[in-house]
Amino acid sequence: MKAKNRDQSFSDSRELDGSYDQLTDSVEDDFELSTVCYRPEGLDKLLEQTKFTKKELQILYRGFKNECPSGVVNEEAFKLIYSQFFPQGDSSTYAHFLFEAFDTNKNGSVSFEDFVMGLSIILRGSINDRLNWAFNLYDLNKDGCITKEEMLDIMKSIYDMMGKWTYPCMQDNAPKEHVENFFQKMDRNNDGVVTIDEFIESCQKDENIMQSMQLFDNVI
């Protein structure tokens, strides 16, 4: 039974990366199996669970497998990969927050399913889906509301990631000012926290936020 599950898992992964050939069953296949710790769900299941096409999933899987040959990525590896996109700054703290959002099972690792499900929401989800995902990212302790302290941690991590040599140069108090503006706009009842309802309602009324979210529609 175990051998059958193992063979099925291997078949699923080969279907994902587009490399499956029914005429090929070489020793290299067994070698690959022995070096990979985790294999993703089958292509059909991911097609149902995400809004990506078969071709898009195969492209994403090839890229993921190239960066993460073991099939999963831990937080340190995730930070290292993410830092390549922001060489001018320190992206480690923001990458930590992002990793927490992708690690939906809270097991300290992100699988291809975790990654592609999150990416599907960010790039192809409805406005409500995207806003819910963003709220979950900002709600660091997952208690259902965003505090000024949490938002300040997020903003500091973004400013650190963008680097101190950006133009125009950002002032040291810029993160705090951004948080104050955020709460003036979002905290409707002035109770010091922003709930999911306040967040979604405020974002939907903000033309700039809505336009920026539409920029993701044709990515990939």
Side-chain angles (χ1 to χ4, degrees):
M1 187 68 181
K2 287 184 179 179
K4 184 177 180 181
N5 291 337
R6 183 171 174 265
D7 291 343
Q8 180 62 47
S9 180
F10 183 49
S11 175
D12 289 342
S13 70
R14 287 193 293 180
E15 184 182 24
L16 263 174
D17 68 16
S19 65
Y20 179 65
D21 182 349
Q22 290 182 335
L23 299 177
T24 303
D25 188 14
S26 66
V27 177
E28 291 179 355
D29 293 342
D30 290 330
F31 174 75
E32 185 181 358
L33 267 174
S34 68
T35 58
V36 177
C37 302
Y38 176 86
R39 295 211 168 274
E41 297 286 353
L43 182 59
D44 289 341
K45 188 169 183 178
L46 289 176
L47 280 169
E48 291 176 5
Q49 294 176 331
T50 71
K51 296 185 178 181
F52 293 124
T53 66
K54 176 180 178 180
K55 186 66 175 177
E56 288 169 338
L57 284 169
Q58 289 176 335
I59 291 171
L60 287 168
Y61 183 61
R62 288 190 195 114
F64 188 89
K65 194 169 68 169
N66 184 59
E67 292 290 345
C68 315
S70 68
V72 294
V73 57
N74 61 27
E75 184 172 340
E76 289 309 308
F78 185 87
K79 287 179 179 178
L80 183 61
I81 294 168
Y82 202 74
S83 68
Q84 298 172 22
F85 299 99
F86 300 94
Q88 76 278 16
D90 179 3
S91 63
S92 59
T93 303
Y94 187 78
H96 164 72
F97 297 144
L98 204 55
F99 182 86
E100 290 282 300
F102 275 108
D103 180 17
T104 54
N105 294 323
K106 304 305 173 191
N107 59 3
S109 64
V110 172
S111 66
F112 179 69
E113 289 95 331
D114 294 332
F115 172 70
V116 82
M117 293 283 285
L119 205 61
S120 177
I121 293 172
I122 297 168
L123 300 182
R124 302 285 168 80
S126 66
I127 293 298
N128 263 21
D129 288 341
R130 297 182 198 188
L131 291 175
N132 271 285
W133 198 92
F135 183 88
N136 181 63
L137 173 65
Y138 300 152
D139 179 16
L140 299 181
N141 66 357
K142 314 305 177 194
D143 66 347
C145 61
I146 303 171
T147 65
K148 284 188 176 182
E149 290 76 15
E150 286 175 322
M151 200 62 206
L152 185 58
D153 286 342
I154 289 285
M155 291 313 306
K156 283 181 177 178
S157 72
I158 292 174
Y159 277 76
D160 287 343
M161 179 173 64
M162 299 308 294
K164 299 186 180 300
W165 295 278
T166 55
Y167 182 84
C169 183
M170 291 180 288
Q171 302 299 314
D172 290 341
N173 62 341
K176 191 170 184 179
E177 288 182 2
H178 192 106
V179 171
E180 291 301 326
N181 291 334
F182 175 89
F183 269 79
Q184 285 178 14
K185 184 181 297 184
M186 303 273 181
D187 185 11
R188 300 282 181 169
N189 60 359
N190 297 310
D191 64 349
V193 298
V194 174
T195 64
I196 182 64
D197 291 335
E198 288 175 322
F199 181 78
I200 291 178
E201 181 183 352
S202 299
C203 288
Q204 288 177 334
K205 291 180 179 179
D206 190 307
E207 186 176 336
N208 291 329
I209 292 176
M210 289 297 98
Q211 287 179 349
S212 67
M213 297 192 80
Q214 290 171 2
L215 293 175
F216 293 111
D217 288 347
N218 296 315
V219 174
I220 297 184

